[in-house]
Amino acid sequence: MTSPSTPGAPHTTPHTAPPGAPPGAPVSPRPPVFTKDAEGLGPLTVTPLDPAVDSPLVHGWVTQERARFWGMGGAGPDLVREIYEDVDRRTTHHAFLVRLDGRPVALFQTYDPAEDRISECYDVLPGDIGMHILLAPAEGPAVSGFSVRLMRVLLEFALSGGRARVVAEPDAADDRAVALLTRLGFEAGPEIELPEIDLPEVYLPAKRARLCILTPHTPHHP
């Protein structure tokens, strides 16, 4: 098992799609950095996102209305790829594709809060790790407790490698995300304003968010 700080593997020629993926869809040869049987869901893998291969899939997710809080609703395919190429070059921010039985089910991102704009909004402690998650559009009948079961495994991944706390900053208006995090044991703190970032390689508008923090001793609610 590898910690979330592991950089992505180099780009190589895409492989054919595994069982469960759309027929003919390319799949990055990057190996998973975390594998576990998710309770009631099946085998789960966490693999570094390969922008050259995975960005069309991610573009289809982030531009849907349901993903409006992700902040990329108006982005075209090229911009989405460029954004994740920038993430891929960094050592402090990482993007992962989460699969169940070979089928992509979530985009999971981790980052070092000390190297992120959130550091201006709270006191970062050694061992903190930040996270974002975007679930794929649902396919087939709903699975009871899917989000909670999936998140429990991903939190285990995020806390691996000696991490002390997980920090999340969902949009202040995203009540469903805050409710899910509190159910998982996060302490919902105050609203914060993430400052605008305007750099040649990235632009992020200011954002009202809710600071949520999970420590390993915090109990997970059923």
Side-chain angles (χ1 to χ4, degrees):
M1 182 171 66
T2 309
S3 76
S5 61
T6 303
H11 301 307
T12 53
T13 303
H15 289 177
T16 56
V27 174
S28 170
R30 294 183 175 187
V33 293
F34 183 87
T35 302
K36 184 169 183 175
D37 187 59
E39 180 184 358
L41 299 178
L44 177 146
T45 59
V46 179
T47 304
L49 187 84
D50 186 339
V53 177
D54 300 323
S55 60
L57 173 69
V58 172
H59 173 262
W61 292 356
V62 300
T63 54
Q64 293 188 8
E65 169 60 21
R66 58 181 292 277
R68 62 190 179 280
F69 292 122
W70 204 254
M72 296 172 66
D78 290 343
L79 179 57
V80 170
R81 176 171 173 166
E82 290 171 7
I83 288 171
Y84 284 101
E85 285 175 340
D86 178 69
V87 172
D88 202 45
R89 287 189 291 267
R90 297 175 182 265
T91 59
T92 57
H93 293 63
H94 306 282
F96 304 92
L97 199 59
V98 182
R99 293 183 174 90
L100 281 171
D101 275 332
R103 182 179 297 279
V105 295
L107 172 63
F108 188 62
Q109 296 182 209
T110 61
Y111 62 90
D112 179 356
E115 301 297 328
D116 190 86
R117 60 179 177 168
I118 197 174
S119 63
E120 299 185 29
C121 303
Y122 89 109
D123 293 327
V124 180
L125 297 181
D128 282 0
I129 185 169
M131 57 144 272
H132 303 287
I133 185 169
L134 177 65
L135 297 181
E139 295 182 5
V143 178
S144 177
F146 176 84
S147 299
V148 171
R149 295 177 191 177
L150 181 70
M151 278 298 301
R152 282 176 177 159
V153 178
L154 294 177
L155 288 172
E156 180 181 336
F157 166 57
L159 285 165
S160 63
R163 296 293 185 173
R165 304 190 301 177
V166 182
V167 179
E169 20 88 359
D171 192 286
D174 193 349
D175 295 334
R176 293 181 63 183
V178 175
L180 174 61
L181 291 171
T182 55
R183 184 177 178 189
L184 288 162
F186 281 78
E187 180 179 351
E191 284 193 13
I192 57 175
E193 179 155 349
L194 299 171
E196 178 187 49
I197 301 293
D198 191 1
L199 299 173
E201 67 276 15
V202 63
Y203 173 76
L204 294 172
K207 170 188 168 182
R208 292 295 299 175
R210 187 77 176 271
L211 180 65
C212 299
I213 298 178
L214 172 74
T215 52
H217 66 267
T218 304
H220 288 184
H221 301 290

